[in-house]
Amino acid sequence: LDTFILLGPGRGAMSKRLAVSTERDLENEMLSAGVEVLLVVDSHEANSAFAKLRSSISDSIGVDCEGTEGLKSSLGPLMVQVASDTVVVVETRTKEGKFSQELRDLLADKLIKKVFCQGRDDIKSLGKALPPVTVSGPCVDVKDMTDLPKNRFLASPQF
């Protein structure tokens, strides 16, 4: 999904075609690996998408937020990605800063382990949503599981 970075201002039509091609290639790779990607843009899609995700969780989920900085992030992240081994749910927030109740319930579930990448910033950003999204239960940041030197671009080990 990071391929959308190519669509920024000043980029030509060639970049747009490349982004679409790369997105389709990524989607095809995920499908061939047995991973289903579900997009949630309104409440009608949330129930079935998160039910499918919940039924696929064995022990933990991966969580990542996009659009956590800048003016557009004042109401929380623009997008939240939550994944098991076989299902990925990508939810975009409403312009009012709202996320589905299903996403809220999943992230608040104390029985599900959550693995983040730059978790401190993601959890802080989720707290800006309306109402704030609570993340509960065991959480770990990938930085905690590596021997990377301190870097201002990586998440802090405390959150």
Side-chain angles (χ1 to χ4, degrees):
L1 295 175
D2 289 332
T3 56
F4 288 111
I5 292 170
L6 295 171
L7 299 177
R11 310 261 182 190
M14 183 64 126
S15 295
K16 292 179 185 178
R17 282 196 294 272
L18 177 60
V20 170
S21 173
T22 305
E23 179 185 0
R24 286 189 184 133
D25 291 343
L26 178 61
E27 185 177 353
N28 288 336
E29 284 184 42
M30 293 181 84
L31 288 172
S32 68
V35 178
E36 184 175 7
V37 180
L38 306 170
L39 180 61
V40 174
V41 292
D42 63 43
S43 59
H44 302 295
E45 300 156 332
N47 192 25
S48 63
F50 283 100
K52 187 171 273 195
L53 175 64
R54 276 188 177 270
S55 70
S56 73
I57 298 171
S58 60
D59 186 40
S60 62
I61 56 173
V63 183
D64 190 33
C65 298
E66 302 295 339
T68 60
E69 297 177 9
L71 183 61
K72 291 183 179 179
S73 68
S74 64
L75 297 175
L78 299 176
M79 175 176 68
V80 179
Q81 304 164 82
V82 187
S84 70
D85 291 341
T86 58
V87 177
V88 177
V89 175
V90 179
E91 181 170 341
T92 57
R93 70 165 164 79
T94 66
K95 62 183 174 185
E96 295 84 19
K98 295 181 181 179
F99 286 99
S100 70
Q101 187 61 48
E102 290 82 357
L103 174 64
R104 293 171 179 286
D105 292 345
L106 181 70
L107 294 179
D109 191 327
K110 293 179 181 179
L111 300 177
I112 298 174
K113 296 174 190 152
K114 291 124 189 127
V115 179
F116 284 85
C117 180
Q118 298 188 347
R120 182 178 185 178
D121 292 339
D122 289 351
I123 291 170
K124 187 176 179 181
S125 183
L126 287 163
K128 295 178 186 177
L130 298 174
V133 176
T134 301
V135 179
S136 302
C139 297
V140 67
D141 195 304
V142 174
K143 167 98 172 66
D144 294 341
M145 301 176 350
T146 63
D147 194 17
L148 296 173
K150 288 188 177 186
N151 181 319
R152 68 184 184 102
F153 298 110
L154 296 176
S156 167
Q158 306 140 346
F159 56 103

